[in-house]
Amino acid sequence: MKDKILLAHGSGGRLSHDLVEKHLVSILNNPLLCKLDDSATFEIFGRVAFTTDSYVVHPIFFSGGDIGKLAVCGTVNDLSMSGAVPLYLSLSLIIEEGFFMDELNRIMVSIQTAAEEAGIKVITGDTKVVNRGNADKVFINTAGIGLVPEGVDISGSNARLGDKIILSGPIGDHGMAILSQREGLNFETSLKSDCAPLNGLVAEMIEVSKEIRCLRDPTRGGLASTLNELADKSKVGIRIEEARVPVNEAVQAGCEFLGFDPLYLANEGKLVAVISPEETEAVLARMRRHKYGAQSEVIGEIVPEHPGRVVMTTRFGTSRIIDMLTGELLPRIC
């Protein structure tokens, strides 16, 4: 019989101690975490970026990742979109009674693997166990902290007329992978989430140019919502070309079958960059040399028309207004 999480694992007693020592700290092992003080203490200086997020994805294991990898990559990417170098991560687990211990271990190993790739350390955390039926297996909350290099000023409100918009790769992979697995759908081509840490890609972009105005990862709400947020915050118009927006064949097929628009599907390993026109080609070339930016494309530009709105030139040469997502296309996507 497999070992399972018991309510007593959240009691603060011996089982709680064993859970933390044997299944969490032993995997995330680093000197700051292993002190197990109430707070982690460390030296820090310069401009700091700080973010937090919660992860409730269903299913918790999916093609291309799991809730642990998603939690690390999501927080790393939130820091990276400010141009920050991710340093430290907190990890809070809410675990349902009856959850299998080997699945918890699998998630922890995934967290550590993703953290190692991103160069970030989990240095503090918490666990709570709730009654069976009061959660869906496991929920994760993270907070991340990073340092913004001197001279880097990236914000959603920095877009200027004439700037170019770069997308780092095909959209909709994460959303369609989750949807197909949740609904038991099979497509001819295997679908995988694009879940990945983007801090390495961002660091190389910043090496090339300090004229990166805006960075965003188009997660929930997809590319359409992200572009609308940028247009609204910068008070500019955005025009994109449908033919230049990359979409994998399997995602396109799934969207046609299910009636979805890939512009609104979630991504967990893509970024949108707004860059000065003079620097665009150099940044694009460097992005295409990185494994997470190999399929980068310039998809549009900042225009003086229709400030605050996003308009797409379709494959037929017509114009289509792209609104922000309204409602919930797919709940518990991250």
Side-chain angles (χ1 to χ4, degrees):
M1 183 177 176
K2 293 181 178 179
D3 289 337
K4 294 182 178 179
I5 291 290
L6 306 174
L7 278 176
H9 280 112
S11 68
R14 169 55 60 186
L15 284 180
S16 294
H17 178 81
D18 289 347
L19 175 68
V20 171
E21 290 276 358
K22 296 179 181 177
H23 299 278
L24 307 183
V25 175
S26 64
I27 296 173
L28 302 176
N29 184 31
N30 67 67
L32 290 177
L33 179 63
C34 288
K35 289 180 179 178
L36 290 180
D37 292 331
D38 285 349
S39 299
T41 59
F42 51 89
E43 299 292 330
I44 198 164
F45 55 88
R47 193 151 63 100
V48 173
F50 180 53
T51 187
T52 185
D53 208 341
S54 298
Y55 299 87
V56 297
V57 65
H58 173 77
I60 59 172
F61 298 102
F62 50 85
S63 178
D66 56 58
I67 192 171
K69 180 180 181 182
L70 187 67
V72 174
C73 294
T75 303
V76 165
N77 293 346
D78 283 345
L79 292 170
S80 301
M81 295 308 112
S82 298
V85 177
L87 296 175
Y88 300 118
L89 192 71
S90 75
L91 180 73
S92 182
L93 302 172
I94 298 173
I95 312 171
E96 183 184 19
E97 177 192 17
F99 189 57
F100 289 118
M101 206 66 86
D102 60 351
E103 292 190 344
L104 177 63
N105 290 342
R106 182 178 164 191
I107 289 169
M108 295 309 299
V109 169
S110 180
I111 286 172
Q112 179 61 6
T113 301
E116 284 180 352
E117 180 180 2
I120 194 170
K121 285 186 171 57
V122 179
I123 61 168
T124 189
D126 183 42
T127 59
K128 294 288 187 296
V129 177
V130 297
N131 293 86
R132 193 186 304 267
N134 286 358
D136 188 358
K137 297 181 180 178
V138 61
F139 298 149
I140 297 178
N141 173 267
T142 57
I145 192 166
L147 281 178
V148 181
E150 191 173 347
V152 172
D153 179 20
I154 297 172
S155 168
S157 58
N158 285 352
R160 303 176 190 173
L161 293 181
D163 286 348
K164 303 297 183 184
I165 301 167
I166 297 179
L167 175 64
S168 66
I171 56 172
D173 290 16
H174 178 72
M176 189 53 66
I178 294 289
L179 179 62
S180 61
Q181 189 163 338
R182 195 181 293 178
E183 301 300 326
L185 302 174
N186 292 313
F187 298 100
E188 290 184 3
T189 307
S190 61
L191 267 172
K192 286 186 177 180
S193 167
D194 59 349
C195 184
L198 298 175
N199 56 313
L201 174 62
V202 171
E204 292 197 19
M205 294 168 66
I206 292 174
E207 265 186 21
V208 173
S209 174
K210 293 292 192 294
E211 297 300 312
I212 299 171
R213 319 271 199 220
C214 318
L215 286 175
R216 286 293 173 94
D217 53 338
T219 53
R220 283 181 300 172
L223 178 64
S225 296
T226 294
L227 292 176
N228 272 280
E229 289 172 3
L230 295 176
D232 177 63
K233 289 186 178 302
S234 292
K235 310 302 180 192
V236 295
I238 289 179
R239 177 170 283 274
I240 62 172
E241 296 181 42
E242 183 178 19
R244 300 183 72 90
V245 177
V247 182
N248 283 326
E249 287 185 13
V251 172
Q252 189 64 53
C255 285
E256 291 172 1
F257 179 72
L258 297 167
F260 287 118
D261 186 334
L263 292 173
Y264 294 94
L265 287 180
N267 313 271
E268 291 294 343
K270 299 297 184 308
L271 65 80
V272 175
V274 178
I275 299 174
S276 70
E278 295 80 9
E279 303 286 307
T280 298
E281 285 304 318
V283 174
L284 182 64
R286 178 64 76 89
M287 290 177 71
R288 286 175 171 170
R289 285 159 44 189
H290 194 280
K291 64 179 178 179
Y292 294 135
Q295 295 175 274
S296 297
E297 292 284 353
V298 177
I299 63 167
E301 62 183 336
I302 306 300
V303 296
E305 299 85 13
H306 49 76
R309 304 299 298 268
V310 179
V311 174
M312 183 169 73
T313 302
T314 70
R315 296 178 187 276
F316 305 105
T318 59
S319 293
R320 171 189 164 195
I321 294 175
I322 304 299
D323 283 327
M324 188 173 286
L325 176 68
T326 56
E328 187 71 85
L329 185 67
L330 189 64
R332 297 188 58 189
I333 195 73
C334 61

